[in-house]
Amino acid sequence: MLIPVILSGGSGTRLWPLSRAKYPKQFLNLFSDKTMIQETVLRLEGLKGIAQPMVICNIDSRFIVAHQMTEIGKKETEILLEPIAKNTLPPLVSAAYKISKNDPENIMFVLPSDHTIKNIKAFHSAIHKAEKAAESGNIVTFGIEPERPETGYGYIQFDRIGEKDFYKVTAFKEKPDLETAKQYLDAGNYAWNSGMYMFKVSSFLDEVKKYQPEMLKYCSDAVDNAKEDLDFLRLDKESFEKNISISIDYGLTEKTDKTVVVPMSAEWSDVGAWDALWEYLPKDENGNYTKGDVKLEDSENCYVLGSDHLVTTAGVKDLIIVDTKDALMVANKNKLDDVKSLFNKLKENNRNEAIKNRVDYRPWGYIDTVERDMRYKVQHLTVMPGEQPSYHYHFHRSEHWIVVSGTASVVIEDEEKILTENQSMYIPVGKKHSIANNGKIPLHLIEIQTGSYLEEDDIVRVKDSYGRL
């Protein structure tokens, strides 16, 4: 059985302000109406003998992952939670060990969640070639046939002898300077490192035991002592945090002699920054890409994204303009290293715009904070069918709920009332209350909070279906 394991722990800070520390680029719909992690899963459709995916993510993004998998009909996706970031090798060892407990002959297919591929046919062909190599005990990496002397990617050097489905890897190379990248391109036996891998879990764990024996022990302990939490599996923190933080490249595939590469030309990109995104997307006759309510005049080679209101430009070129609900960024396309520097300064200053998106995901749905001031906050709440926020109360704020669509079952001090569209309910300070969506469609309501303190830690949960007491 081929089991896709999707890594979803990256931050993608070069795509700020769309990508945030707690809402990274894999959760964005940059290319279609589907997000990058959704596209990663959906492009596997059509392959035979493939299992439901497993996603590895951090605790902060677990509800976003669950929500986005449910949206594409993958509610049964297994979600493994990292208690602490340890790069790529420790979580992959943990996943492989867990999969091996069912069947050590299973083949694990490792996929970053934030890459894009246009040529699905070529991608599937490479997967079939890799599967054959993995069945023979090889650890397979996917190398992207270089189209240009690229300095932004690491490279894989391999023995290109004859026409084969896969080749022996001889070295992994760091991101080169331009002159070195040109030499790699001319040599013909170098490929971009995609970060995708495939291997039989028994073969992989044998190599881990040889080169990282302590990691195998810590990761197996983390799985054996893991705790189920709703639809998630939390790896044991005490065991997992003993691991060194290291990538699969440095920690294993550079050491073992079993690493092979399947070269692939599938119009791949890791979309590492705004210029890469602009390059990848279709543009008009003036080299502009626009999305949203955008009007351009005498403008060239720009990426312009609008959100809630009109965005216009006149007489400009080579600009990245990104307008979100809570932040506007204007950058020169040739100076995009400054975006990461800007993001880091915002994070150091504890700016909320660097950390989280305006939409906050919860186990029962999500909240969009529309407006706030010192003594009031307006939020759009979406409660998914069959879900119910906790039964709780507040010390410092009262709330007013107005149902926009759907049907709400409201409980205040154990007294229940049904609210439908355009009906409302007032909840005084200190009164225990909850709301449930027992219907078949999402429940949308506007919540208006007023009071002297409106932060999220003013919640005392009395009952909760999600274990958050």
Side-chain angles (χ1 to χ4, degrees):
M1 182 71 73
L2 183 64
I3 301 177
V5 174
I6 298 168
L7 292 166
S8 184
S11 58
T13 54
R14 291 180 183 272
L15 289 178
W16 185 86
L18 275 190
S19 180
R20 312 285 174 98
K22 291 189 177 181
Y23 200 86
K25 66 177 181 176
Q26 60 263 33
F27 303 129
L28 304 174
N29 54 342
L30 298 176
F31 303 97
S32 69
D33 61 342
K34 299 293 188 292
T35 67
M36 296 189 78
I37 191 171
Q38 289 174 331
E39 289 182 342
T40 300
V41 172
L42 292 174
R43 72 172 63 105
L44 299 173
E45 290 189 344
L47 292 168
K48 293 181 180 178
I50 192 162
Q52 286 280 358
M54 173 192 291
V55 177
I56 305 174
C57 67
N58 59 50
I59 291 167
D60 288 336
S61 62
R62 66 194 187 279
F63 297 126
I64 307 173
V65 170
H67 175 73
Q68 294 201 357
M69 291 300 99
T70 300
E71 277 189 332
I72 58 171
K74 303 292 182 181
K75 187 176 175 61
E76 301 306 312
T77 296
E78 188 170 12
I79 301 174
L80 205 62
L81 301 182
E82 289 181 275
I84 186 172
K86 289 289 184 178
N87 213 308
T88 55
L89 187 55
L92 290 178
V93 173
S94 301
Y97 175 75
K98 185 178 186 307
I99 291 168
S100 74
K101 294 178 78 171
N102 293 326
D103 185 352
E105 297 303 296
N106 278 324
I107 292 177
M108 185 165 136
F109 183 20
V110 179
L111 294 150
S113 59
D114 56 356
H115 295 179
T116 186
I117 294 172
K118 285 183 181 177
N119 191 334
I120 305 303
K121 185 177 180 181
F123 177 54
H124 284 191
S125 175
I127 291 171
H128 292 312
K129 294 174 183 177
E131 210 169 347
K132 292 177 184 176
E135 285 170 352
S136 302
N138 295 298
I139 296 174
V140 188
T141 183
F142 292 72
I144 309 302
E145 297 272 22
E147 304 160 358
R148 59 189 180 275
E150 175 61 58
T151 61
Y153 300 143
Y155 282 72
I156 300 166
Q157 183 183 15
F158 57 96
D159 269 335
R160 187 163 223 156
I161 303 171
E163 288 298 319
K164 300 178 182 178
D165 288 341
F166 58 91
Y167 302 89
K168 195 78 173 175
V169 170
T170 55
F172 286 82
K173 302 290 186 179
E174 294 291 337
K175 296 175 183 178
D177 58 30
L178 184 58
E179 189 57 41
T180 305
K182 288 178 180 177
Q183 292 172 13
Y184 290 168
L185 188 64
D186 292 339
N189 65 326
Y190 288 83
W192 295 339
N193 189 349
S194 71
M196 293 186 286
Y197 284 92
M198 188 182 292
F199 43 76
K200 191 186 294 183
V201 290
S202 58
S203 302
F204 176 73
L205 293 174
D206 284 345
E207 297 305 293
V208 173
K209 187 176 182 179
K210 188 185 298 183
Y211 295 104
Q212 301 287 352
E214 288 187 338
M215 184 179 295
L216 181 58
K217 180 184 185 308
Y218 299 148
C219 290
S220 58
D221 287 347
V223 172
D224 290 338
N225 297 317
K227 299 287 190 298
E228 289 189 6
D229 176 4
L230 303 176
D231 295 329
F232 312 107
L233 185 68
R234 289 178 180 259
L235 294 174
D236 179 64
K237 183 178 180 181
E238 185 178 347
S239 304
F240 190 80
E241 67 183 1
K242 293 176 183 176
N243 285 302
I244 58 171
S245 180
I246 195 167
S247 70
I248 183 174
D249 297 352
Y250 286 131
L252 188 69
T253 53
E254 288 186 0
K255 301 176 185 296
T256 177
D257 61 357
K258 293 191 174 182
T259 306
V260 300
V261 62
V262 172
M264 180 176 76
S265 295
E267 298 178 79
W268 167 95
S269 175
D270 75 343
V271 200
W274 286 113
D275 55 343
L277 181 58
W278 172 84
E279 194 78 50
Y280 199 77
L281 290 165
K283 293 168 277 292
D284 66 17
E285 65 276 8
N286 296 313
N288 299 308
Y289 173 83
T290 63
K291 185 178 180 181
D293 192 2
V294 174
K295 302 295 180 187
L296 308 185
E297 183 68 29
D298 187 26
S299 300
E300 298 176 7
N301 300 328
C302 294
Y303 176 103
V304 187
L305 174 67
S307 56
D308 288 350
H309 48 261
L310 174 66
V311 178
T312 64
T313 69
V316 300
K317 64 179 181 178
D318 296 332
L319 290 184
I320 304 293
I321 302 173
V322 183
D323 184 36
T324 70
K325 291 180 177 182
D326 60 351
L328 169 67
M329 184 203 70
V330 181
N332 188 305
K333 189 151 59 69
N334 302 311
K335 297 276 289 180
L336 289 176
D337 282 345
D338 293 345
V339 174
K340 187 172 184 180
S341 174
L342 175 64
F343 170 86
N344 289 334
K345 288 177 181 176
L346 292 171
K347 196 172 178 181
E348 287 169 10
N349 292 328
N350 294 317
R351 290 296 301 250
N352 201 48
E353 295 90 344
I355 306 300
K356 57 191 286 190
N357 194 285
R358 204 177 81 172
V359 177
D360 189 10
Y361 285 81
R362 304 296 174 88
W364 45 264
Y366 46 95
I367 301 170
D368 182 3
T369 302
V370 178
E371 187 174 348
R372 67 173 297 162
D373 207 330
M374 290 293 292
R375 291 191 59 88
Y376 74 87
K377 185 193 292 185
V378 181
Q379 298 187 140
H380 172 197
L381 275 61
T382 301
V383 183
M384 303 308 290
E387 302 295 343
Q388 178 177 0
S390 63
Y391 185 52
H392 63 275
Y393 62 92
H394 312 285
F395 284 110
H396 303 288
R397 73 177 187 243
S398 61
E399 295 173 343
H400 199 128
W401 289 340
I402 306 161
V403 176
V404 177
S405 64
T407 301
S409 300
V410 177
V411 175
I412 300 179
E413 294 291 341
D414 297 324
E415 198 171 307
E416 185 175 8
K417 185 175 181 179
I418 303 298
L419 298 183
T420 57
E421 292 180 13
N422 299 320
Q423 292 185 317
S424 63
M425 179 67 73
Y426 172 69
I427 301 100
V429 174
K431 294 291 185 181
K432 294 188 287 289
H433 59 282
S434 70
I435 191 166
N437 180 3
N438 297 321
K440 303 295 184 185
I441 62 172
L443 167 64
H444 295 275
L445 61 148
I446 300 298
E447 178 183 86
I448 303 170
Q449 303 176 5
T450 58
S452 58
Y453 185 78
L454 304 175
E455 299 305 320
E456 286 302 303
D457 55 356
D458 181 23
I459 298 176
V460 181
R461 294 186 174 97
V462 181
K463 299 176 187 175
D464 185 55
S465 304
Y466 313 106
R468 299 174 298 164
L469 294 178

